[in-house]
Amino acid sequence: GRLKGFRFWPDTTSEDVHGKASRHAAAQVLSRELGMRVRRVAAAKPDAFKLTRTGSILWREEEIARLEPSGDPLKPTVSLLVDEHLSVPDREKVQARLDQWIGELVGDKLKLLVDLAKAEDLTGLARGIAFRLVEGFGVLKRESVAEEIRTLDQPARASLRRHGVRFGAFNIFVPILLKPAAAELILTLWSLKHATEHGLAPEIMPEPPRAGLTSVAANPTTPEAFYRACGFHVCGPRVVRFDILERLADLIRPLLAWRAHTPGDSAPAGATGDGGFTILPEMMSILGCSPDELGAVLKSLGFWVERKIISPPAVSAPAEAGE
């Protein structure tokens, strides 16, 4: 037969004498082999296991368990993939080791989110926002909590900032969770809990934006919620990473606000002095896109294009020789 992980598939299911004898012989070997595997799993170091994007837990590249969603987004249930050949005490040993491993994995990769969930220094509105951030795997659309943010006092904001929360123009989020290892784990946990409600199969998910990219073209068939689980904000035809979108806002904000206070004041690059701005190369650079693509992003954020004819500066005629 074939043994994969902790499951055995016999080559024969025949009920004749030879079939029964083969299965009996296999059972003797299985008992020893499974016992040895259980001991190895129970003593295995964390890097002996691997979590796939679809929620499978692999040991020696063989699937031995799967994650299932639970009431707590940061505490998925480990469901063992075993059959009747594994004894109850051995199941309990494997279960205990994998429960410990997934707890340590989440606690390590998503530490700020785990700490936010149990922070005792957060009260009132700050506590409510922290709860919603944990439920949202580290991000909230600012507009979805606009009223709460308006009434949040400065000490409460400071307490959330101490836990790594950033109050952006478009999102309230935890920037450190955008790092590749954390982002990949968040996508797995989000998929387990929310993929089906957005018409996605957890086993066949869209490909997320490649690590290191700051913006990519949006696939119109991919749900917005999936991109947000990947750490990206949908901006019309493109999706932009949360922190990069805030950098763009930080570049634009002072240009919109600039006004000449005295005649002859020199405007900073990109400022028009009348509540508008012109696109700068740096804006395209941080998004990694063309002027037209950046224009589409800006339109999705509520800006509009205003075209003006700029008169070239007058050039004096050259002086005649001898003058």
Side-chain angles (χ1 to χ4, degrees):
R2 292 177 298 113
L3 179 63
K4 292 193 70 176
F6 292 104
R7 291 178 292 177
F8 178 70
W9 288 268
D11 283 342
T12 177
T13 57
S14 172
E15 292 302 321
D16 62 18
V17 173
H18 298 294
K20 290 180 179 179
S22 295
R23 289 196 296 278
H24 178 73
Q28 302 303 310
V29 176
L30 271 176
S31 178
R32 293 192 299 272
E33 175 62 23
L34 288 174
M36 189 162 51
R37 290 190 176 199
V38 167
R39 289 191 295 274
R40 288 173 178 165
V41 166
K45 293 182 179 179
D47 60 4
F49 307 110
K50 183 166 71 174
L51 179 64
T52 71
R53 193 178 292 164
T54 58
S56 293
I57 297 177
L58 307 182
W59 175 68
R60 292 184 169 182
E61 299 303 318
E62 292 185 347
E63 189 179 36
I64 60 173
R66 286 191 61 81
L67 291 186
E68 304 290 345
S70 71
D72 187 332
L74 300 180
K75 294 180 180 178
T77 300
V78 176
S79 181
L80 299 185
L81 297 176
V82 299
D83 56 29
E84 70 277 4
H85 295 98
L86 195 65
S87 68
V88 172
D90 281 348
R91 289 184 190 212
E92 291 173 349
K93 291 175 186 176
V94 175
Q95 183 76 55
R97 180 67 187 99
L98 294 184
D99 286 343
Q100 178 191 25
W101 176 74
I102 197 65
E104 290 172 348
L105 181 69
V106 172
D108 176 36
K109 305 299 183 188
L110 309 182
K111 184 179 187 304
L112 281 183
L113 210 53
V114 172
D115 291 346
L116 196 61
K118 54 188 180 185
E120 295 181 356
D121 60 323
L122 300 177
T123 58
L125 276 177
R127 184 69 185 160
I129 290 173
F131 175 80
R132 292 183 63 179
L133 275 169
V134 173
E135 290 288 312
F137 293 103
V139 65
L140 289 171
K141 273 189 177 179
R142 183 162 185 139
E143 63 188 37
S144 71
V145 288
E147 187 58 38
E148 292 95 325
I149 295 300
R150 274 195 293 270
T151 55
L152 198 64
D153 60 27
Q154 288 305 315
R157 289 175 187 247
S159 64
L160 283 166
R161 289 193 181 100
R162 282 196 297 272
H163 286 280
V165 176
R166 176 172 180 185
F167 293 85
F170 302 100
N171 295 287
I172 313 301
F173 66 108
V174 182
I176 200 168
L177 299 179
L178 298 175
K179 292 189 174 182
E184 189 169 340
L185 180 55
I186 283 174
L187 181 58
T188 297
L189 297 179
W190 178 89
S191 301
L192 293 172
K193 200 165 179 66
H194 299 296
T196 53
E197 68 191 69
H198 293 285
L200 299 172
E203 302 80 16
I204 312 172
M205 297 290 287
E207 196 64 27
R210 198 170 69 249
L213 293 180
T214 57
S215 80
V216 295
N219 184 334
T221 65
T222 300
E224 179 185 8
F226 173 82
Y227 282 123
R228 292 188 65 77
C230 296
F232 285 73
H233 189 103
V234 177
C235 301
R238 291 189 77 76
V239 294
V240 183
R241 210 171 68 201
F242 298 140
D243 57 333
I244 297 301
L245 187 60
E246 297 306 331
R247 281 182 59 189
L248 178 64
D250 290 343
L251 286 174
I252 292 172
R253 196 177 297 111
L255 302 183
L256 294 176
W258 187 85
R259 297 291 187 277
H261 295 294
T262 58
D265 273 358
S266 179
T272 59
D274 58 359
F277 69 96
T278 58
I279 289 177
L280 298 173
E282 186 179 356
M283 298 177 187
M284 293 179 283
S285 176
I286 62 173
L287 265 67
C289 65
S290 68
D292 288 343
E293 289 169 333
L294 176 56
V297 167
L298 293 172
K299 283 182 181 178
S300 76
L301 298 175
F303 295 98
W304 65 89
V305 176
E306 186 176 286
R307 302 186 185 279
K308 294 182 178 180
I309 297 175
I310 305 297
S311 301
V315 179
S316 303
E320 293 290 338
E323 289 187 356

